[in-house]
Amino acid sequence: TTALVITFDRAMQGGMAVVGGGEHFPKTAGKAAWDATGTVFTMPVELKADWSYELWLNRGKFDSFRGKDGTPLQPVHVTFTTRAK
């Protein structure tokens, strides 16, 4: 188990919209959480070696990543690959 850690440049409201599915979406491995400042989001995940992953931060009607002023994060497409063992 490891974690995806996302740092924002401003405090967020505390909602989250990590969007995706299927075999290339990271398997969650616990409860996601915000730090006390509202700028660091941590999501525990289980990752496979030598595998590509894909997810979105906000997408379509799922837009719960919002700044304290209510402005939604523009959709962000995240892709990454883990290395072989």
Side-chain angles (χ1 to χ4, degrees):
T1 302
T2 190
L4 297 178
V5 179
I6 302 162
T7 303
F8 294 86
D9 67 350
R10 64 199 71 195
M12 305 297 278
Q13 289 183 353
M16 61 190 94
V18 181
V19 183
E23 65 181 353
H24 292 281
F25 187 79
K27 180 180 176 183
T28 57
K31 187 175 179 179
W34 288 93
D35 76 338
T37 69
T39 60
V40 180
F41 174 74
T42 303
M43 185 173 88
V45 293
E46 291 179 12
L47 301 176
K48 297 187 267 187
D50 196 27
W51 193 255
S52 61
Y53 290 92
E54 176 180 23
L55 58 95
W56 288 82
L57 306 178
N58 284 2
R59 186 169 189 204
K61 65 181 181 177
F62 303 102
D63 65 354
S64 297
F65 280 115
R66 292 176 174 265
K68 287 283 187 187
D69 67 356
T71 303
L73 173 73
Q74 291 296 312
V76 177
H77 187 216
V78 179
T79 61
F80 62 95
T81 303
T82 55
R83 63 180 163 212
K85 285 187 175 183

